[in-house]
C-alpha cells in the first residue's frame, strides 16, 4: 500500500470521443510520473462507437451508419470488443499504482475490480454479479463491460454502467458477430444487454448517485479514501496533444481496418472462452513458405497492448514450419500478462491458418 491512502475522483462529463480516450492516456502518463495520485474518472460520450485496440475497424463497426447518423468513431487504448456509448451511459476508469493494489496479477485484479463494481451497482437496487472474464450482469444480461492493462506499474482499467439507451442504435452502429450471439443463444445484441432504466423504471437513480455508489465500493475494496478533484491543466494539455498527433488521428483509428483475407493470405481463427483471435499471414519466397507480414486482430486483452505488434514483427521472415515454435518462444521470453487468452490460444489461431 502507498502512504497516501486517498484517490482522486474526477467527473469530466460529456466529451468528444477521441479526446476522452486521450485523457485516459494522459492520466496514465501523469500517474507514472508521480504528478497525480491514484485516480477514478467518470466519463461520458456523445453517440460514439468505440472499437477495441486490436480489432479490425470495418469488421466491428458499421461505418456508413455511423457517418450518416453523426455517430463518432474511436479506437480505444484498451483491448476487448467494440462498444457503443452515448450520454445515457456512464463510463468509469481507474489508474492505480501496483503498490496501491497489493495484488499484481491482472486476472486477480480484474475479479477484485469487477466484484467491487458489481457491489456498487447492486447498491442501486439491482442484483449485479461479476461474470468472468470481465462482464457484470443482472439475471444473465450485461449491465457493464470492463477491461484494462498494465502500463509499467500503473493499472489502467475501464468499465461502463448501462444506465439508459436505445439498444437499436447500438445494434445498428456495431457489427456484432453472429457467433457471439449464438454462443449465448440470442437472436440479437439487444437481448444481451440490460439498462438500469429497464430494471428500475422511474426509480432509476441520477448519475451522481450512481457515481457515489461506485466510488464507495472501490474505496471500500481497496481501503482508500475518496477525494473529489479536477483534471490538471497539464493532463488536459497532454490529452489535447495526443488527440492531435496520435489517438485522435484517422491513422490511429483506422490502423487496423479490413483484414486482407481476400487477397489469398492464410487466415486462422481461435474462438475461446476468453475471446476471439484472428490471424492473417501474407507469404513470400519462391515456395511461399515464409511470412512476409502477420496481422493479429480480435477482442482479446493482453498487457502491455504493444505485445501484439512485437509478435507481428517477430514473425516477419519466419518459415511457416517454425511458426508454432516462434510464437511459444516469444511468449516465454516476453514479460506478458494475459487477462482473457493464453499463448496456446494464439498458437491455435496460427495452426488454424496453416491448416487452411
Amino acid at each position: 500500500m502507498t502512504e497516501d491512502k486517498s484517490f482522486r475522483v474526477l467527473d469530466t462529463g460529456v466529451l468528444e470521443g477521441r479526446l476522452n480516450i486521450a485523457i485516459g492516456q494522459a492520466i496514465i502518463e501523469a500517474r507514472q510520473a508521480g504528478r497525480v495520485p491514484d485516480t477514478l474518472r467518470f466519463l461520458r460520450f456523445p453517440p460514439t462507437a468505440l472499437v477495441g485496440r486490436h480489432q479490425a475497424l470495418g469488421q466491428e463497426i458499421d461505418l456508413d451508419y455511423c457517418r450518416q447518423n453523426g455517430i463518432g468513431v474511436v479506437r480505444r487504448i484498451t483491448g476487448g470488443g467494440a462498444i457503443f456509448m452515448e450520454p445515457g451511459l456512464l463510463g468509469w476508469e481507474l489508474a492505480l499504482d501496483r503498490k496501491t493494489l497489493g495484488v499484481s496479477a491482472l486476472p486477480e485484479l480484474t475479479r477484485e475490480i469487477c466484484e467491487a463494481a458489481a457491489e456498487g451497482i447492486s447498491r442501486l437496487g439491482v442484483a449485479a454479479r461479476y461474470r468472468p472474464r470481465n462482464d457484470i450482469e443482472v439475471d444473465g444480461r450485461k449491465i457493464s463491460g470492463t477491461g484494462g492493462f498494465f502500463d509499467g506499474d500503473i493499472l489502467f482499467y475501464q468499465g461502463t454502467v448501462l444506465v439508459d439507451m436505445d439498444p437499436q442504435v447500438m445494434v445498428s452502429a456495431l457489427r456484432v458477430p453472429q457467433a457471439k450471439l449464438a454462443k449465448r443463444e440470442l437472436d440479437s445484441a439487444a437481448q444481451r444487454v440490460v439498462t438500469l432504466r429497464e430494471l428500475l423504471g422511474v426509480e432509476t437513480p441520477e448519475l451522481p448517485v450512481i457515481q457515489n455508489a461506485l466510488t464507495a465500493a472501490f474505496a471500500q475494496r481497496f481501503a482508500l479514501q475518496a477525494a473529489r478533484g479536477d483534471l490538471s491543466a497539464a493532463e488536459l494539455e497532454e490529452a489535447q496533444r495526443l488527440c492531435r498527433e496520435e489517438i485522435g488521428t484517422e491513422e490511429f483509428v483506422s490502423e487496423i481496418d479490413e483484414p486482407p483475407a481476400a487477397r489469398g493470405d492464410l487466415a486462422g481463427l481461435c474462438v475461446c472462452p476468453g475471446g476471439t483471435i484472428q490471424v492473417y499471414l501474407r507469404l513470400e519466397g519462391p515456395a511461399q513458405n515464409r511470412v512476409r507480414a502477420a496481422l493479429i486482430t480480435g477482442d482479446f486483452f493482453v498487457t502491455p497492448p504493444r505485445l501484439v505488434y512485437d509478435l507481428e514483427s517477430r514473425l516477419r521472415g519466419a518459415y511457416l514450419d517454425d511458426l508454432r515454435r516462434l510464437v511459444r518462444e516469444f511468449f516465454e521470453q516476453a514479460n506478458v500478462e494475459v487477462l482473457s487468452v493464453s499463448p496456446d490460444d494464439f498458437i491455435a489461431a496460427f495452426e488454424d491458418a496453416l491448416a487452411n
Side-chain angles (χ1 to χ4, degrees), residues 175-323:
R175 300 185 189 276
V176 181
Q178 286 300 311
K180 182 176 287 190
L181 299 176
K183 185 166 66 174
R184 294 183 170 89
E185 299 181 346
L186 300 173
D187 295 325
S188 76
Q191 293 178 276
R192 167 68 178 132
V193 300
V194 66
T195 66
L196 284 175
R197 178 70 62 184
E198 181 179 344
L199 293 168
L200 299 175
V202 295
E203 296 181 359
T204 302
E206 298 295 325
L207 286 175
V209 175
I210 300 170
Q211 292 178 3
N212 288 340
L214 287 168
T215 299
F218 288 131
Q220 180 178 0
R221 178 64 58 131
F222 296 110
L224 297 170
Q225 294 293 321
R228 292 282 171 179
D230 296 301
L231 193 71
S232 70
E235 287 170 297
L236 179 57
E237 183 179 348
E238 174 63 7
Q240 291 169 334
R241 184 194 68 79
L242 287 166
C243 200
R244 288 193 310 270
E245 299 178 8
E246 183 184 350
I247 291 170
T249 65
E250 291 301 321
E251 290 79 7
F252 181 83
V253 175
S254 303
E255 183 178 18
I256 307 171
D257 198 349
E258 293 286 359
R263 296 183 294 213
D265 298 0
L266 297 180
L269 178 69
C270 176
V271 180
C272 52
T276 299
I277 301 172
Q278 296 167 291
V279 301
Y280 302 89
L281 296 172
R282 175 158 296 171
L283 307 182
E284 64 181 2
Q288 293 286 284
N289 62 343
R290 291 202 315 270
V291 176
R292 178 181 174 186
L295 175 65
I296 303 170
T297 73
D299 61 356
F300 51 85
F301 291 90
V302 296
T303 186
R306 62 182 174 274
L307 169 102
V308 170
Y309 310 111
D310 293 341
L311 176 56
E312 291 172 345
S313 178
R314 177 68 181 86
L315 296 179
R316 289 191 197 112
Y319 285 95
L320 297 185
D321 289 344
D322 292 335
L323 274 184

Side-chain angles (χ1 to χ4, degrees), residues 8-251:
R8 177 180 60 157
V9 180
L10 310 177
D11 179 3
T12 52
V14 179
L15 293 174
E16 185 275 329
R18 298 183 187 188
L19 178 60
N20 242 340
I21 298 301
I23 288 174
Q25 181 63 44
I27 291 173
I28 293 171
E29 295 173 6
R31 185 68 190 95
Q32 287 174 325
R35 294 192 297 268
V36 300
D38 292 326
T39 297
L40 166 64
R41 177 168 77 115
F42 293 105
L43 59 156
R44 288 184 292 147
F45 293 76
T48 305
L50 299 92
V51 71
R53 183 68 185 90
H54 305 297
Q55 289 189 298
L57 182 66
Q59 281 193 337
E60 305 296 334
I61 294 177
D62 189 329
L63 297 172
D64 288 338
Y65 178 87
C66 290
R67 200 160 28 241
Q68 293 163 9
N69 291 275
I71 295 172
V73 176
V74 175
R75 184 175 294 277
R76 299 196 309 275
I77 58 174
T78 49
I83 63 173
F84 176 78
M85 295 291 287
E86 62 177 33
L89 304 178
L90 179 64
W92 53 266
E93 59 189 28
L94 292 161
L96 303 175
D97 190 277
R98 284 183 192 266
K99 295 190 293 294
T100 301
L101 297 163
V103 178
S104 61
L106 190 55
E108 288 182 62
L109 286 171
T110 294
R111 176 176 290 278
E112 290 285 325
I113 291 170
C114 288
E115 287 181 349
E119 167 62 23
I121 295 170
S122 294
R123 296 180 185 192
L124 304 172
V126 299
R129 297 289 182 269
Y130 164 55
R131 172 175 172 157
R133 59 184 165 142
N134 58 329
D135 288 343
I136 298 167
E137 297 182 342
V138 176
D139 294 330
R141 298 174 70 190
K142 181 175 176 178
I143 197 166
S144 173
T146 75
F149 62 87
F150 271 107
D151 191 334
D153 284 331
I154 304 305
L155 174 69
F156 184 69
Y157 204 93
Q158 295 179 310
T160 58
V161 180
L162 306 186
V163 182
D164 191 17
M165 71 168 182
D166 180 353
Q168 191 54 51
V169 177
M170 176 196 73
V171 170
S172 299
L174 305 181
R175 300 185 189 276
V176 181
Q178 286 300 311
K180 182 176 287 190
L181 299 176
K183 185 166 66 174
R184 294 183 170 89
E185 299 181 346
L186 300 173
D187 295 325
S188 76
Q191 293 178 276
R192 167 68 178 132
V193 300
V194 66
T195 66
L196 284 175
R197 178 70 62 184
E198 181 179 344
L199 293 168
L200 299 175
V202 295
E203 296 181 359
T204 302
E206 298 295 325
L207 286 175
V209 175
I210 300 170
Q211 292 178 3
N212 288 340
L214 287 168
T215 299
F218 288 131
Q220 180 178 0
R221 178 64 58 131
F222 296 110
L224 297 170
Q225 294 293 321
R228 292 282 171 179
D230 296 301
L231 193 71
S232 70
E235 287 170 297
L236 179 57
E237 183 179 348
E238 174 63 7
Q240 291 169 334
R241 184 194 68 79
L242 287 166
C243 200
R244 288 193 310 270
E245 299 178 8
E246 183 184 350
I247 291 170
T249 65
E250 291 301 321
E251 290 79 7

